Each structure stands twice: as structure tokens, then as C-alpha cells.
Amino acid sequence: MLRLIEPPALAQLKALLADDQLAIGNLVVQAGSFVVRNQADQSPLQFYYEHEAQTEPLRFDFTTWGTHASQEQPNTFLMLGTAQQPRIVGFPLYLLPQDDQYLYLSFKLGNGEGGKNRWFGRARSAEETRSVARTEQLSIDLRQALHQKFFNPPLAHPTIKGEWLTLARLFLADLTPTAPRARRQKLKTLVLTQLLQAFVIAEQLRAESFTESPPFFRSADLDAFQQRLHTNPKYNPEADTQIATQLKSGIFAPTGYWVKQVVSRLPFSTHHVVRQQWEQGQYFRRYSWGRIFLQGYPDKGFYITLGVDSGETERVQALIAQRLVPAGPALLLKVDVHTADDSALPPEARQTGRILVDELPLSSRWRRIGLNELASYSWPRLLQESVDFLTQHESVLHQLWAESGKSRQQVAKVGPGKTDALRTGKIPLDIAQRELEANDEHRRLSNLLQSLLPNYGFTQVKRSCLIDYGPGKASNEIDMVATDSEGRITFFEIKALSSLDKCIREALGQLLEYTYWETPSPPTAQRLLIATAHPLTLPARRYLQRLQQELHFPLSYVQVDAEGKKLLFLED
């Protein structure tokens, strides 16, 4: 049962944070160009804050706020600020909820909890020049970005109404002075990391809210893009003024903003080229694009492409004909290679480069956001996923450049039919294409599962929830997270493999890692579900039930029935 933090826990939390002799580990949090980091010789509450082309000290301090609740618990309002702005934002520790086992590091997503008017309301200062509408949009963007980063279940605060975001669960036993020093250091590091991570996310979005961004991509504009390219790709400057204006404002201008914003957020150095002209000679372009390439390398080699595909390009049409992707326009992120005559790669390296890119796992090198997903996206979500995609593939681009100098024979995988295909310059439908097929089936299953879950009492459905394991281990994504009808947060691992046993085997390992691998902010799943299109066989049912009963493992299974448009659970 949740209740307001009790005086002993509040005193222990304050003592933990205020203890200058209790050092924390290396800490770096980042959201775009907003970065907070510490140094070993500093006080544990002292940091450096890099933002908007400046670096300044940033510090946590304790103070008493002007409210009755704060004055009853003096010096437990945790304030974060700089020399110029001593209180940028505040966190009232005396309002944190707890139960018998955990203290919940959390704050309200909105006004009324204290210290967040800068983010969620119009702070009373001359610098708040944005319109009311822009402030309301900032509040929406903040909620979405913070929920995506911290996907713990929402809290029903014991005394304050509203939506509360949980940043982390703090084990009460680790707050006590008698707890092992290593555990207390780890807990202190967790608290400061999570608060600072929320801070840089919110401050970055707040800074951007003063700059007008184009409206987000609309389904109507993507539809118009495809329809025009499908019915009449020719461009007539006199007769096509209206459609040209629509494509410029709805497709090509947002693409340019997308690419530039992603580049400004990357933690490594890149350059970019953006094509924002909607016509090419006497024809409309079939796609908008921006090319992001590594600093120190030419642009027409290996790079990441971001843009809008009309669904009418030859590549996509071929995949549609083979039923590997759904028809229609989409936002596209992909690892790419330039093989045209003006490529920076020599002719032999172009052929090698194409083989290298084609043989990357397609599920990781190609991300397509179709019309069925577009409504769940906004600028913050698209930009964050794009940054994650680029960050995950930085090493891939370096490797492609290193490998492209090898001969085609060195690069080629040995297999039946492969030699002749390479000799003629053609790549057959093989492993790589089957990976694409599985990736597309995974997306179809995900879309159907997301649409059906509300019918079974699930709420707060989120896709591609990032897990950050900290230094030394690459981050990962949970396919889907939702809250069931009993309030239990549930992780879904979706598999589209050829057999039921393969799906269970792969999903089980991932769910175990998501749940039990140590992270800065431990995920809080109370239920784990494997989701596939396969009917559950009797042996598989018995296997999963044994895991439930003998190991007390909160595992279950759901079949996503595409024909019947329904879900069939293990318990049914």
C-alpha cells in the first residue's frame, strides 16, 4: 500500500545524498547536445552542464520551499541549478511515495507537485516567450519522451492527484546507514543519474520549444505523395502548384528538419546532406532523403538515409510484389551505400559495398514506419528513435568502410548458388531476404497485437522501450510494454520465426535478460509474455506451465491470431 514517505526514510535519503564522503561512479547523461557529467575530484552533488554552446557548473542543493508541506520537512526540497540560475528545477523529496519495501523516486507530470512550472507550465519570467499552444505542446512532448525513457508503471500518489512518473524504485534497506557501502553508493548513483536524465530530456525539449518546428508528418500528405507518383509522376510547373506546395511543406521540409535535428543530437561527429527539392527535371522525386555520414569520410560512400519513401520506388515495389513489405508510403531509416557513377567508392569497392550492406541483418539495417504506425509518432519519439538507430550503426559504418577494400571473393559467403550470383552481379532470394520477411512479419504481428491489447484490458501500451544497461553492454529494446487489467506491468517479446519452439527459445532468453540483468533503473515487470502467430501445442503448454509452477517464473504466452483478429492466452 502506497503512502507518503515516512520521516525515517526521508532522513535516510537526505543523508545518503548529502554525504560528501559517499562518492558516486562516473556519470554522464545526454539528450542531444545537452550533457551533464561529473569528475572524480568533485563533490558528489557537483556536475558540469554542457548546453547551447556553453559549459557551466551544475549543483544539487537542499532548501526549504515556501509551502506548508516543505516547511514541515525543512531542507528536503532538492534543488538543481547553476550560479546564474540557482533553482532551475526542484524535486520535493518529502512528497515521494513509499510502500513497505520500496521508495519510489518520482514526480508529477504537470503542475501542482512543485518546482516543475519551467517544464509543464508557464514559468513567471520574461524568457518564457512561447505561445500558450506551444507550451501545451511542450507538455505533451515531455510526457511522451519521459514515458519512453522511464517505462515504469504509473503511480497513484497517496495524497496528490495526477499522473506520476516513476524514475526508479529504491530498496529501503539500502538507504539505512548499516547497508553495505557499495550498495549505498550504487543507490546514490542511481538517484542522481535518473534525476539528471529527466533534467536533460526536459531541458532539451524546453529549449526546442522556443524554435518553431514544422508540423509532424501527416498520413494525408504521405498518401498524396504516393497517389501522385502512382498516377502521374510528371511535374508541370504551371499546373502542379498546389501539389508541389503540399509536398514541399508536408514531405520535404519536415525531412530536412528531421535530418538536421538528428545530427544535432548525435553523440559522435557526422556531416549531412539533405535533398529538399521535390522535383527532378520533369518528374516528381519518388522519395525525400537526407544522408548522414561519418566525419572524415566522403558523403557518397556508406551512410544512413532518413526520408520518406512514396512506396513507388523500384526497390520497394519489388518487395511489395514479393509480399515482404506492405504497400504504401512510409518513413524510412536505413544503412545505405552509394553505387552510382559519382560514388566516392571505386567500381570494385561499390560491388563489394553492395554485398556487404545486403548481407547485414535486414531487421537491424532497415526501419520502415508505415501509415499504420504514424499516428503513434511525434517529433520527440521519431528523433529519439533516429538517434538510437544512428548510434547503434556508427560502428557498422566504420566496419563497412574497412571491409569495402576487400575483393568480392573475400566478402562473399560460400553457399549453393552464391558463386554464380556473385559472378553475374545478382544476389538471389536467400538468407538476407528471409530475414526481411521475418522482420516484416514481426512488424505485422506487433501492429496487430498493439491494436488488440485494449480489447483484453491492457492500457499504457508502448512499443520499442529502450533498456540502458550502462557502460560495457549495449542497450536493448523491449518489443512492447503494457499494463494489464490487474495493474501489472507486462513485457511482450514478439517472435516471427518459423517454429513455435524457436520462438519460445529465443524469446525466453531475451525476457530473462530484460528482467534480471542489472541496469541503472531496474525494469519493473510483473508479467512476461511471449507473443507469436503459432498456436500453442500441448508440450509447449506443459513446458511453460512448469516454468510457472516450479520456478515461480511470471511467464505466459499469447497467440496473435491474424485471421480471427483475436488473442489466445496460455491461461485460456
Side-chain angles (χ1 to χ4, degrees):
M1 185 73 177
L2 282 181
R3 56 190 181 274
L4 202 59
I5 185 171
E6 296 173 348
L10 180 59
Q12 290 167 1
L13 177 61
K14 180 187 174 183
L16 178 89
L17 297 176
D19 185 356
D20 273 351
Q21 302 305 309
L22 190 65
I24 63 173
N26 291 333
L27 190 156
V28 180
V29 295
Q30 180 170 9
S33 60
F34 287 67
V35 183
V36 175
R37 66 179 80 245
N38 67 348
Q39 289 187 356
D41 58 348
Q42 291 176 316
S43 161
L45 298 183
Q46 179 77 48
F47 302 88
Y48 285 109
Y49 179 31
E50 303 168 16
H51 63 107
E52 299 172 298
Q54 60 180 313
T55 300
E56 57 184 330
L58 181 75
R59 181 177 175 81
F60 283 105
D61 279 305
F62 294 94
T63 188
T64 303
W65 198 234
T67 64
H68 176 70
S70 180
Q71 290 172 357
E72 282 190 333
Q73 304 287 348
N75 293 318
T76 56
F77 186 93
L78 187 62
M79 183 171 64
L80 183 60
T82 64
Q84 297 296 321
Q85 287 184 284
R87 187 184 68 81
I88 296 177
V89 68
F91 302 95
L93 303 181
Y94 50 85
L95 293 181
L96 297 180
Q98 72 165 85
D99 56 25
D100 292 337
Q101 190 174 13
Y102 293 103
L103 177 64
Y104 294 86
L105 185 67
S106 56
F107 60 80
K108 184 180 176 182
L109 293 175
N111 297 320
E113 174 260 4
K116 309 295 184 310
N117 277 346
R118 178 181 173 86
W119 296 346
F120 293 101
R122 301 202 65 173
R124 298 174 180 85
S125 66
E127 65 182 19
E128 299 293 326
T129 57
R130 75 175 82 80
S131 66
V132 173
R134 291 288 291 169
T135 299
E136 291 174 351
Q137 185 60 49
L138 170 61
S139 182
I140 294 169
D141 292 345
L142 271 171
R143 283 172 162 83
Q144 186 176 61
L146 291 169
H147 272 307
Q148 187 174 358
K149 181 64 180 178
F150 308 103
F151 50 89
N152 295 299
L155 280 176
H157 194 276
T159 61
I160 300 176
K161 295 181 180 180
E163 183 183 5
W164 279 68
L165 177 78
T166 302
L167 307 181
R169 294 184 308 171
L170 312 179
F171 195 37
L172 286 171
D174 290 343
L175 283 175
T176 62
T178 57
R181 183 177 181 83
R183 296 195 65 85
R184 286 169 55 78
Q185 286 178 317
K186 182 177 178 181
L187 191 67
K188 184 174 182 177
T189 303
L190 170 63
V191 170
L192 298 178
T193 298
Q194 299 302 84
L195 291 176
L196 289 169
Q197 185 66 73
F199 172 77
V200 293
I201 290 172
E203 287 296 307
Q204 180 206 23
L205 289 175
R206 177 183 175 276
E208 290 175 356
S209 71
F210 295 108
T211 303
E212 290 294 328
S213 59
F216 191 67
F217 293 103
R218 301 187 311 150
S219 297
D221 293 327
L222 267 69
D223 270 330
F225 190 26
Q226 184 198 22
Q227 288 301 314
R228 181 54 194 254
L229 267 296
H230 183 72
T231 57
N232 180 17
K234 287 193 173 182
Y235 171 60
N236 184 327
E238 296 181 0
D240 289 330
T241 303
Q242 183 175 350
I243 184 65
T245 300
Q246 181 180 5
L247 295 185
K248 179 181 179 181
S249 62
I251 301 295
F252 288 87
T255 298
Y257 176 82
W258 178 15
V259 174
K260 293 172 185 176
Q261 289 296 314
V262 168
V263 169
S264 72
R265 290 166 165 77
L266 289 173
F268 55 95
S269 298
T270 60
H271 293 296
H272 69 280
V273 177
V274 179
R275 179 66 68 188
Q276 291 186 251
Q277 187 64 29
W278 64 90
E279 48 81 22
Q280 188 173 18
Q282 298 180 350
Y283 292 86
F284 284 98
R285 289 187 180 276
R286 296 180 181 273
Y287 52 88
S288 66
W289 58 263
R291 181 187 304 147
I292 300 176
F293 53 99
L294 296 172
Q295 189 175 45
Y297 290 90
D299 67 318
K300 295 181 179 179
F302 297 102
Y303 45 83
I304 303 294
T305 295
L306 309 181
V308 181
D309 189 285
S310 65
E312 298 297 317
T313 60
E314 292 183 7
R315 169 66 170 161
V316 171
Q317 284 290 303
L319 297 174
I320 292 171
Q322 298 171 48
R323 298 184 179 180
L324 296 178
V325 300
L331 309 185
L332 196 63
L333 303 87
K334 63 176 180 176
V335 179
D336 221 338
V337 57
H338 200 82
T339 56
D341 290 342
D342 61 345
S343 173
L345 297 166
E348 181 67 18
R350 294 174 207 169
Q351 298 168 344
T352 301
R354 172 51 62 193
I355 296 170
L356 288 166
V357 171
D358 284 345
E359 291 186 345
L360 288 171
L362 286 167
S363 60
S364 66
R365 70 170 169 91
W366 201 61
R367 174 74 175 102
R368 195 167 184 267
I369 303 168
L371 295 179
N372 56 342
E373 295 183 73
L374 197 61
S376 66
Y377 276 79
S378 64
W379 280 124
R381 180 179 177 184
L382 179 63
L383 294 177
Q384 185 58 56
E385 289 191 9
S386 302
V387 169
D388 291 342
F389 187 89
L390 266 292
T391 302
Q392 291 164 7
H393 289 85
E394 178 193 9
S395 61
V396 174
L397 293 178
H398 282 293
Q399 184 178 358
L400 287 171
W401 278 107
E403 294 288 321
S404 63
K406 297 180 180 179
S407 69
R408 299 177 76 191
Q409 288 74 21
Q410 287 175 297
V411 172
K413 293 180 180 178
V414 178
K418 197 70 155 188
T419 304
D420 289 341
L422 290 174
R423 187 180 297 120
T424 59
K426 298 177 181 178
I427 303 297
L429 179 65
D430 62 354
I431 295 172
Q433 206 156 10
R434 288 198 297 273
E435 286 173 348
L436 177 57
E437 187 174 9
N439 183 47
D440 191 63
E441 177 61 20
H442 186 281
R443 189 168 293 117
R444 283 195 291 266
L445 277 175
S446 300
N447 293 339
L448 182 56
L449 177 62
Q450 184 177 23
S451 68
L452 292 175
L453 281 175
N455 300 338
Y456 294 83
F458 286 87
T459 58
Q460 303 284 331
V461 182
K462 304 169 193 172
R463 291 173 65 162
S464 302
C465 295
L466 187 70
I467 293 184
D468 183 5
Y469 294 106
K473 181 172 172 57
S475 60
N476 211 332
E477 286 186 347
I478 303 170
D479 285 336
M480 200 169 293
V481 178
T483 303
D484 70 11
S485 58
E486 298 178 21
R488 297 174 297 182
I489 193 163
T490 305
F491 290 176
F492 292 85
E493 184 59 32
I494 302 164
K495 289 299 174 187
L497 303 176
S498 58
S499 68
L500 176 62
D501 62 320
K502 288 181 179 179
C503 290
I504 292 175
R505 186 182 304 120
E506 288 203 10
L508 186 57
Q510 288 177 258
L511 288 169
L512 282 168
E513 180 178 302
Y514 299 156
T515 309
Y516 296 110
W517 194 286
E518 193 168 328
T519 65
S521 177
T524 55
Q526 289 101 16
R527 194 179 180 199
L528 309 169
L529 272 113
I530 299 169
T532 84
H534 298 288
L536 192 60
T537 63
L538 182 57
R541 180 183 295 274
R542 289 174 175 167
Y543 170 61
L544 295 174
Q545 288 174 338
R546 284 191 66 187
L547 291 176
Q548 290 178 337
Q549 296 165 7
E550 297 181 19
L551 301 181
H552 305 290
F553 191 50
L555 181 69
S556 191
Y557 180 89
V558 59
Q559 178 195 352
V560 184
D561 183 356
E563 291 187 7
K565 297 291 189 292
K566 60 184 178 181
L567 302 178
L568 301 172
F569 291 86
L570 170 65
E571 295 79 10
D572 294 341

